[in-house]
Amino acid sequence: MTTRPPLSAAEPLPATESTPPDSGLQAGLKNRHLSMIAIGGVIGAGLFVGSGSGIAAAGPGILVSYALVGILVVLVMRMLGEMAAANPTSGSFSAYADRALGRWAGFTIGWLYWFFWVVVLAVEATAGAKILAGWIPAVPQWGWALIVMIVLTVSNLASVASYGEFEFWFAGIKVVAIAAFIVLGGLAIFGLLPGSDHPASGFSNLTAHGGFLPNGPGAILTGVLMVVFSFMGSEIVTLAAGESADPQGAVTKATNSVIWRIAVFYLGSILIVVSLLRWDDPAILKDGSYVAALSSIGIPHAAQIMNAIVLTSVLSCLNSGLYTASRMAFSLGRRSDAPAAFGQTTGRGVPRTAILASVVFGFVAVAFNYLWPDTVFQFLLNSSGAIALFVWLVICFSQLRMRKIIQRESPEKLIVRMWLYPYLTWATIALIVFVLGYMLTDTADGGGRDQVVLSTAVAVAVVAVALVRGRTRDAVTRS
C-alpha cells in the first residue's frame, strides 16, 4: 500500500479521476446514460413501497414532509454540484472531504458510504427475489437473490457502458411508469378517465377527512423520518460523471434539474395518491399506496403491474448500488485509504477488485438476511440507517471549505454555485442536525433512535481507525 502526505489548503485541486492516465477509468458513459442516471437516482423503490406508511402517519400532510426533504436534497445536491462541477471525480464527496476537512474525513465518509450501499445490495436483492419467487415459485427465494446478484455483477464487470445501458432502461421504465400514473390519476381525479367509475372528487380528499393535518403538525416530522431515506441515490450522478466524456456538463445539468425531478416524481405522484384516496383508506397500508390508487380507478391487475415496476426499481437500485460501492472503493484505493488493488482497473477501465469486494460483502449480507434476519441483519440495517444524513452533513461542511479553496485557486471552475452562500449551507446543516435529533425521539424497535445510535457508533469506530492510520502514517513519514 502506498502513502501520500495529507493535502493542504495551498495545494492545487487533485486531477480529475476520469483522466485515464490518472485513474485508469474510461469515459464509457454517454449523455443519455447520465441523463437517466440523474433522473432514476431520485426514484428509489422506497417511493413505491414505503410511501403508504408515511401517508397513514401524516395524512395529506405527507406532502409537506416530502417537500421538506425535497428542499433538503436540492440544497445538498447544489453544494455537491458546485464541488463536482469544479472537479469531477469517482470519489465525489469523499474526495472533497479528504481535501476540505482532512484525510480522516475522506476515509471515514468513504467507507461509511460503501458500507451503506453494500447493505442496500442485500435489502434490494431480497426484495427482488421475493417478487420473482412469487411469479416463479419453482426457484427458491434465495436462488433468485443469487441469480439477480450474479447477473448484475457480470454486467458491472463487463464495462461501465454495460452499467449505463442497464440503468438507462431501468430508469426509463420507472420514469414512464410514474408519468403514466400521474396522467391517469390526474384524469380520474377530475372524472375525465374513460371507463373509470372513480368519483370526480378533485382535491377534496386533501381536507375532507379530518383536515390536511388530521394527526396534527407533529406528524409532518414523523413523515420526514419515514421518507428521508427514500431520497438516497440523488448523488450517484456525481460519481458517474467522472466516467463520461463531459463530466462538468453532466454534473451541471443534473444539479440544475434536480428541482423539477423531485417536484414531478415525488410530490406529483404522492399528490395523485392522496387526492384519489382518503388518507385513512385501509388499502393504502394493505396493498400499498400506488396499487390502491390504481385499483381505485379501475386499472386491472394493478398489483402485478406495480410488482413489475417495483422489481425494475429494485434491479435499478441493485445495479447502481454495486456501481456506487465499487467506485467509492476504487477512489479509496487510489487515495491509499483501501488496499491498493481496489484502485486498479482492467484494460476496459473496470475496477474489478473493487467490484468483487463489494459484491462479496453483499452476498454475505444476503446470507445474514436469510440466516439471522432479526439479529445480525437487523444490526446491519440499523447501523447503516443514518449514514445518508451523515453523508449530507459532510457534503455541507466540505462545501463551506471547498468554496474558498476553489475561489482562491481556480475561480473559473465555479460553474455551479450554491445559493446564498454560506447562509443556506449553514441552514441546511441545522436542518440535518435537527432531523438527526428528532430521530432520537423515535424509540420504536429498529426506529430512529436505534439507527442514529448504532450508525454513530460505527462512524466513531471508523473515525478511530482513520486517526490511528494517520498517526501511523505520520510516524513512518518522520522516520
Side-chain angles (χ1 to χ4, degrees):
M1 182 180 295
T2 60
T3 60
R4 63 173 174 79
L7 289 164
S8 67
E11 291 180 67
L13 287 169
T16 299
E17 289 183 9
S18 60
T19 307
D22 173 53
S23 70
L25 296 177
Q26 296 181 359
L29 293 176
K30 301 177 181 177
N31 287 337
R32 64 183 179 88
H33 293 153
L34 285 169
S35 296
M36 278 302 178
I37 290 170
I39 295 174
V42 297
I43 310 174
L47 174 63
F48 299 109
V49 299
S51 55
S53 298
I55 293 171
I62 194 66
L63 288 167
V64 180
S65 302
Y66 272 103
L68 287 174
V69 179
I71 291 171
L72 177 61
V73 172
V74 167
L75 294 175
V76 171
M77 278 296 294
R78 188 74 184 184
M79 288 179 251
L80 182 55
E82 177 181 294
M83 296 183 289
N87 183 47
T89 167
S90 62
S92 189
F93 47 84
S94 173
Y96 309 140
D98 186 308
R99 175 72 198 280
L101 306 177
R103 290 290 298 275
W104 67 271
F107 178 95
T108 301
I109 206 63
W111 278 113
L112 288 177
Y113 191 68
W114 179 86
F115 174 61
F116 172 87
W117 279 109
V118 292
V119 172
V120 167
L121 291 180
V123 174
E124 301 297 342
T126 304
K130 185 176 180 180
I131 295 173
L132 290 167
W135 291 344
I136 309 176
V139 178
Q141 187 171 319
W142 66 265
W144 279 119
L146 183 64
I147 291 170
V148 166
M149 290 281 281
I150 289 175
V151 169
L152 292 179
T153 300
V154 170
S155 73
N156 272 265
L157 285 172
S159 68
V160 67
S162 298
Y163 156 72
E165 200 63 33
F166 267 85
E167 192 58 24
F168 175 81
W169 292 105
F170 288 154
I173 291 172
K174 290 190 290 185
V175 169
V176 170
I178 292 185
F181 176 80
I182 291 174
V183 171
L184 293 175
L187 291 173
I189 287 171
F190 296 103
L192 301 176
L193 184 64
S196 174
D197 57 359
H198 187 279
S201 56
F203 297 108
S204 61
N205 278 332
L206 297 179
T207 56
H209 309 285
F212 185 71
L213 296 172
N215 296 326
I220 292 176
L221 294 177
T222 302
V224 166
L225 300 188
M226 291 182 168
V227 307
V228 65
F229 301 107
S230 65
F231 283 81
M232 192 65 170
S234 304
E235 71 290 335
I236 291 176
V237 68
T238 64
L239 282 82
E243 294 178 81
S244 68
D246 181 19
Q248 289 184 329
V251 168
T252 302
K253 183 177 180 181
T255 303
N256 291 336
S257 64
V258 69
I259 297 176
W260 72 260
R261 286 186 276 128
I262 289 175
V264 171
F265 297 124
Y266 277 88
L267 292 177
S269 61
I270 295 299
L271 175 62
I272 294 297
V273 171
V274 294
S275 297
L276 284 173
L277 301 168
R278 293 173 51 122
W279 69 270
D280 56 353
D281 190 323
I284 291 178
L285 281 177
K286 179 183 177 183
D287 303 326
S289 54
Y290 287 79
V291 172
L294 289 173
S295 297
S296 73
I297 61 178
I299 302 297
H301 310 295
Q304 291 305 318
I305 291 173
M306 282 310 304
N307 271 340
I309 295 170
V310 169
L311 178 61
T312 300
S313 295
V314 164
L315 294 176
S316 171
C317 191
L318 266 171
N319 193 41
S320 290
L322 181 53
Y323 172 84
T324 304
S326 65
R327 266 41 178 196
M328 186 57 72
F330 166 82
S331 178
L332 289 167
R334 295 293 297 179
R335 289 179 276 140
S336 301
D337 286 336
F342 284 19
Q344 298 172 357
T345 59
T346 66
R348 293 185 176 183
V350 176
R352 180 167 53 198
T353 303
I355 291 174
L356 292 176
S358 301
V359 81
V360 164
F361 192 97
F363 276 123
V364 171
V366 170
F368 287 157
N369 197 6
Y370 286 107
L371 296 174
W372 302 290
D374 299 324
T375 53
V376 178
F377 190 69
Q378 188 61 43
F379 170 79
L380 290 178
L381 286 179
N382 289 338
S383 59
S384 64
I387 287 176
L389 292 170
F390 292 169
V391 168
W392 294 348
L393 204 55
V394 167
I395 290 172
C396 294
F397 282 112
S398 297
Q399 189 266 339
L400 285 173
R401 173 77 168 149
M402 286 298 294
R403 165 66 78 89
K404 296 176 182 178
I405 296 174
I406 298 170
Q407 282 181 323
R408 181 175 63 250
E409 299 176 356
S410 47
E412 73 281 358
K413 291 185 177 181
L414 276 174
I415 302 172
V416 177
R417 291 175 179 263
M418 176 60 183
W419 306 297
L420 297 178
Y421 169 85
Y423 308 108
L424 265 184
T425 302
W426 282 111
T428 306
I429 290 171
L431 180 57
I432 295 172
V433 171
F434 174 78
V435 172
L436 285 168
Y438 192 77
M439 287 178 70
L440 293 173
T441 67
D442 181 9
T443 58
D445 186 28
R449 175 177 292 181
D450 288 347
Q451 292 179 23
V452 171
V453 171
L454 289 176
S455 295
T456 301
V458 171
V460 169
V462 178
V463 169
V465 172
L467 294 177
V468 170
R469 280 173 50 86
R471 289 182 180 180
T472 303
R473 185 169 46 239
D474 291 343
V476 171
T477 301
R478 286 194 299 268
S479 63

